[in-house]
Amino acid sequence: MDKLIQEIHDEAFIIDAHYDLLFDVAKQRALGRTKVIETDHLPNFKKGGFNLIVSSIFEDDEFIPEMVLHKALNQVSALYAEIDESPDELMFCKSYEDILEAKHTGKVGIMLSFEGVEPLYQDISLLRVFYELGVRFVGLTWSRRNFAADGCHFTMEEEDRGGGLTQFGEALVKEAERLGMLLDITHINDRGFKDVFRFAEGPIIASHSNSREVAKTPRNLTDEQLKKIAERGGVAGINILSRIASGKAGEGDIDLIADHVEHMKQTVGVDYIGLGLDCCDMLRKYFPPSDDEAFDILKHQNLQDLTKKLLERDFEKEEIMKIYGGNWLKVYGKVF
């Protein structure tokens, strides 16, 4: 089996569709460090065989609304600086051709995504600015309200805010598609999910959401939602953060991650599953300790553990290669 695992990781195009990379990088660069990605993250990417990382633009509540645009631009600027400092190792990808070139030249590609459109306030013209800077994914919300839509809660016990897309959100969906950006409904509430599908015409993804049948949290997708995504030719990315995978912060193991993959396969087939790992352990240093702390069930450098588990559950090599990146590439090729 070890030989087959290595074969899969050598041949697959492996993509993590969601990582809060720049949240960490910008804070480290503010301390005077350089080459943060090359030093702290790249070895893990390489050990796991990752070819492409989609980095989110995300900021804490404390910077909203006054400082959020400034902080978002800081993160984008940090990525440009990191690429300049590590040109032989990293490549900023803005098109499908860039993605393929990064793989061909042996570099790890980095793409940019909004995780919540707070930096736009309610000025739709700023979307074009971020597009020109390289942002290609529009995650409409994090789990909070913004000018576009309502985010979901993390537990079923919390009452849904109930709001869907606002008028600004509707216009934003249409403008994002016009520009050639990929819409991401992760973190949006159920009504907002329906609204996005009403107003969007192209593929829609959920970059880092699991199955709600396996783990009861609004952050995950119902079977009906998974089918809607599949019907549009989108992909849902498997999330390895414990509170998303299990519905509880302190629980979860690699078998549970495989349970999510299996359920999605049974529900929509392997062509609509990807990886959106949402590794967050590296962010703990920025927050106070908590008794109810979520943890990474799997890390970039340990992706082989999931490969082994899926093989033990009779997944074929070709199925795993689709899940690890082939399905994302298909969507990226259509939109970018």
Side-chain angles (χ1 to χ4, degrees):
M1 183 179 285
D2 288 345
K3 183 178 178 181
L4 180 54
I5 292 172
Q6 190 60 51
E7 190 177 293
I8 290 170
H9 283 253
D10 288 342
E11 295 180 19
F13 195 119
I14 304 180
I15 298 172
D16 181 0
H18 182 81
Y19 188 38
D20 292 315
L21 176 65
L22 292 181
F23 188 96
D24 179 59
V25 170
K27 288 182 180 293
Q28 291 299 307
R29 293 187 70 86
L31 298 174
R33 293 187 61 199
T34 59
K35 294 189 176 182
V36 179
I37 299 177
E38 183 175 337
T39 304
D40 295 357
H41 299 276
L42 188 63
N44 298 330
F45 298 157
K46 287 188 172 181
K47 189 171 181 181
F50 285 86
N51 304 108
L52 182 70
I53 305 293
V54 180
S55 176
S56 65
I57 298 172
F58 171 80
E59 279 304 337
D60 287 329
D61 292 347
E62 64 183 298
F63 298 113
I64 299 170
E66 292 87 354
M67 288 291 290
V68 67
L69 176 58
H70 178 88
K71 288 292 185 178
L73 292 174
N74 279 164
Q75 291 189 6
V76 176
S77 178
L79 178 59
Y80 274 93
E82 292 279 318
I83 298 292
D84 287 345
E85 291 163 1
S86 304
D88 296 329
E89 301 284 358
L90 304 172
M91 181 173 172
F92 192 179
C93 297
K94 303 176 184 179
S95 67
Y96 185 67
E97 291 74 20
D98 287 349
I99 295 169
L100 299 182
E101 183 181 343
K103 167 78 167 177
H104 179 70
T105 56
K107 301 176 185 180
V108 173
I110 310 289
M111 299 192 78
L112 280 178
S113 171
F114 280 121
E115 186 173 19
V117 294
E118 285 83 353
L120 304 180
Y121 304 108
Q122 50 185 334
D123 184 350
I124 201 163
S125 69
L126 291 180
L127 187 63
R128 178 62 182 265
V129 175
F130 277 98
Y131 177 85
E132 296 297 340
L133 289 172
V135 177
R136 291 295 179 269
F137 301 83
V138 181
L140 292 162
T141 69
W142 188 65
S143 288
R144 60 192 172 204
R145 174 174 288 171
N146 60 32
F147 283 117
D150 273 347
C152 67
H153 289 291
F154 283 95
T155 68
M156 302 300 289
E157 290 74 28
E158 295 174 282
E159 185 178 355
D160 190 341
R161 298 180 185 92
L165 285 183
T166 63
Q167 285 185 317
F168 174 69
E170 294 168 13
L172 189 63
V173 164
K174 294 174 183 178
E175 177 66 1
E177 288 197 315
R178 188 190 71 81
L179 289 170
M181 304 172 87
L182 187 52
L183 292 164
D184 182 359
I185 51 78
T186 298
H187 281 288
I188 205 166
N189 68 358
D190 288 349
R191 180 175 171 184
F193 180 101
K194 292 178 181 177
D195 285 347
V196 174
F197 275 82
R198 271 206 303 145
F199 291 101
E201 297 180 358
I204 298 167
I205 66 168
S207 62
H208 55 298
S209 296
N210 293 328
S211 163
R212 202 179 296 181
E213 284 297 311
V214 177
K216 303 290 185 184
T217 165
R219 269 286 287 105
N220 289 333
L221 300 163
T222 66
D223 285 356
E224 180 184 353
Q225 290 172 336
L226 284 168
K227 290 173 183 176
K228 286 280 189 184
I229 290 170
E231 288 168 6
R232 282 292 185 91
V235 173
I238 295 294
N239 189 313
I240 57 77
L241 192 63
S242 59
R243 70 173 172 176
I244 311 302
S246 71
K248 299 177 181 178
E251 297 180 10
D253 57 21
I254 196 69
D255 277 298
L256 181 59
I257 302 302
D259 289 344
H260 282 286
V261 180
E262 272 199 318
H263 182 82
M264 288 186 181
K265 177 183 175 180
Q266 292 165 1
T267 305
V268 294
V270 294
D271 291 337
Y272 307 101
I273 311 169
L275 299 178
L277 300 184
D278 198 15
C279 296
C280 289
D281 278 357
M282 54 89 181
L283 301 179
R284 286 187 182 184
K285 56 184 175 284
Y286 302 119
F287 301 101
S290 168
D291 294 333
D292 192 28
E293 200 159 42
F295 66 93
D296 296 343
I297 295 171
L298 184 75
K299 299 181 186 297
H300 290 108
Q301 61 267 35
N302 304 126
L303 183 63
Q304 288 85 349
D305 294 345
L306 179 59
T307 312
K308 181 180 180 181
K309 186 61 62 175
L310 293 177
L311 288 170
E312 289 173 352
R313 296 197 183 194
D314 296 324
F315 277 75
E316 300 292 336
K317 170 186 170 182
E318 291 73 19
E319 293 179 320
I320 296 172
M321 290 177 65
K322 285 183 176 183
I323 294 166
Y324 280 12
N327 293 333
W328 288 126
L329 284 178
K330 188 165 57 176
V331 180
Y332 298 171
K334 289 178 183 177
V335 177
F336 304 140

